[in-house]
Amino acid sequence: MSGMASDHNTSSQEEYVPHYLQKEDPFASKLSREADIIAGFYLTVIGILSTLGNGYVIFMSSKRKKKLRPAEIMTVNLAVCDLGISVVGKPFSIISFFSHRWMFGWIGCRWYGWAGFFFGCGSLITMTAVSLDRYLKICHLSYGTWLKRHHAFICLAIIWAYATFWATVPFAGVGSYAPEPFGTSCTLDWWLAQASVAGQAFVLSILFFCLLFPTAVIVFSYVKIILKVKSSNKEVAHYDTRIQNSHILEMKLTKVAMLICAGFLLAWIPYAVVSVWSAFGQPDSVPIQFSVVPTLLAKSAAMYNPIIYQVIDCKFACCRSGGLKPKNSLKKSRTYTISADRDSVAMNETQLE
């Protein structure tokens, strides 16, 4: 029996040998030195901007941590995930690109792969929770009356447990982390799907629970929000100023959340497509020079969120010590100052001269 198993393993390896087993040094860069230097500078800029932007969100929110509302707590958690990717992961890849090879061996490769997947999964699941919050807040108004801070912390515990589970599953023997084909970065071992049915089951499970299912929830939530807004705009117009102002605020927060999700998905979907093709397409059919572009694009996702806050011209209360004060465009004749206390939201309308 052991001989048969040995023969089966040998035949499987003869059918397909992943790139990191085809050569003696899987960590040598397959790119030109000039390309590695450009990628290193690119990641350095991305890392600095991401660290400063998300660090600012966390720092300002820490000044009023006892006053943060549930939606703000989820926003801070997203900043923590993005900062974790920048601080824990990017230095490894930056040093390796400038060195023209992966410098940290297999242990460093597995750590880097785990950290990237852990914080990336945490970001996506956090955005899934935010999209559900927006959906319930806009489409089911009674939801906002019972959601308290402790519900947000329970949600955070679920998010971190979910990310920890799926990032750690490969260490249980059902998967692995491996170097990218270009050699200077590491990721999930997508190439296991080429070797066995168990590898295919592992890759499909990761894709469904850590990409497709969360993305489907996000898309469902925002489609329902868009439909609800279209049908309720006329109704809101008949309400008094307080309700109209509240509706405007909720929609601005929803726009921010939608842009954050769109930026994340646009950054990661090309990488997911290349990974799926590497797992289930023709072996080694993705050119090495092509595979590095989606990887670098995905690594930029952590930088977008602080920029999006500015583009939408809407500051979350966690970024201001005095509360959330959205600014209207110069074309409008009124501004609204919104300040939050423990029990209610007071809205004051100020006429501009």
Side-chain angles (χ1 to χ4, degrees):
M1 294 293 290
S2 61
M4 293 177 61
S6 177
D7 292 341
H8 176 72
N9 291 335
T10 301
S11 62
S12 296
Q13 292 179 354
E14 289 176 354
E15 290 177 3
Y16 176 69
V17 178
H19 63 274
Y20 53 85
L21 296 178
Q22 294 176 4
K23 297 181 179 180
E24 294 182 359
D25 188 1
F27 299 122
S29 176
K30 311 305 186 298
L31 304 174
S32 66
R33 186 171 293 275
E34 292 77 11
D36 276 335
I37 292 175
I38 293 173
F41 275 116
Y42 169 81
L43 289 180
T44 300
V45 173
I46 293 296
I48 292 174
L49 293 177
S50 174
T51 301
L52 293 177
N54 291 292
Y56 174 75
V57 173
I58 296 171
F59 171 74
M60 295 304 294
S61 66
S62 67
K63 291 185 174 183
R64 53 187 303 275
K65 56 185 177 183
K66 293 183 179 180
K67 297 181 181 180
L68 293 178
R69 291 175 291 175
E72 299 165 356
I73 292 171
M74 302 305 295
T75 301
V76 174
N77 190 64
L78 185 60
V80 170
C81 292
D82 291 340
L83 184 64
I85 293 175
S86 300
V87 173
V88 176
K90 282 188 173 60
F92 286 82
S93 55
I94 290 172
I95 292 172
S96 296
F97 274 115
F98 281 125
S99 301
H100 198 49
R101 64 172 289 109
W102 178 259
M103 299 295 294
F104 306 98
W106 278 103
I107 293 178
C109 181
R110 293 186 179 101
W111 159 252
Y112 177 85
W114 180 90
F117 186 41
F118 172 73
F119 287 113
C121 182
S123 294
L124 182 57
I125 303 305
T126 299
M127 285 185 287
T128 304
V130 170
S131 70
L132 284 173
D133 172 81
R134 294 291 85 206
Y135 163 68
L136 293 172
K137 190 75 173 179
I138 299 296
C139 301
H140 302 277
L141 300 180
S142 60
Y143 164 76
T145 62
W146 62 266
L147 181 66
K148 306 298 180 183
R149 280 170 57 93
H150 69 273
H151 292 117
F153 288 115
I154 292 173
C155 188
L156 290 186
I158 295 173
I159 289 171
W160 288 112
Y162 193 92
T164 300
F165 173 79
W166 286 107
T168 309
V169 160
F171 294 128
V174 297
S176 183
Y177 294 100
E180 299 268 16
F182 50 87
T184 47
S185 182
C186 293
T187 184
L188 278 168
D189 192 347
W190 302 102
W191 302 273
L192 286 173
Q194 297 280 356
S196 65
V197 175
Q200 293 176 2
F202 163 72
V203 170
L204 288 173
S205 297
I206 291 293
L207 286 173
F208 178 78
F209 289 104
C210 300
L211 179 62
L212 297 180
F213 177 69
T215 301
V217 173
I218 290 171
V219 172
F220 167 81
S221 298
Y222 289 123
V223 168
K224 296 292 287 185
I225 288 172
I226 292 171
L227 295 176
K228 178 66 175 180
V229 170
K230 286 185 177 180
S231 64
S232 63
N233 278 339
K234 294 182 180 180
E235 297 178 9
V236 173
H238 297 292
Y239 295 154
D240 61 24
T241 303
R242 290 170 59 91
I243 296 178
Q244 291 183 29
N245 293 346
S246 178
H247 179 75
I248 291 172
L249 174 60
E250 292 298 339
M251 291 314 304
K252 283 194 172 184
L253 297 178
T254 302
K255 289 178 182 178
V256 171
M258 290 177 69
L259 285 176
I260 289 173
C261 293
F264 184 91
L265 293 175
L266 289 175
W268 277 98
I269 284 177
Y271 179 78
V273 171
V274 171
S275 299
V276 171
W277 184 259
S278 298
F280 299 101
Q282 292 297 320
D284 302 324
S285 59
V286 179
I288 291 177
Q289 291 76 10
F290 178 77
S291 67
V292 70
V293 175
T295 301
L296 295 177
L297 179 62
K299 293 179 187 296
S300 69
M303 177 191 69
Y304 297 154
N305 296 346
I307 297 176
I308 289 172
Y309 300 151
Q310 299 297 326
V311 170
I312 202 68
D313 195 23
C314 177
K315 300 290 195 303
F316 279 101
C318 63
C319 298
R320 288 175 177 260
S321 58
L324 194 155
K325 301 179 181 180
K327 300 176 182 179
N328 285 347
S329 131
L330 293 177
K331 295 181 180 180
K332 296 185 178 180
S333 61
R334 297 177 183 271
T335 61
Y336 302 98
T337 301
I338 297 145
S339 58
D341 55 29
R342 290 179 58 187
D343 300 315
S344 63
V345 178
M347 301 182 182
N348 301 317
E349 178 181 343
T350 303
Q351 178 73 38
L352 290 180
E353 297 182 355

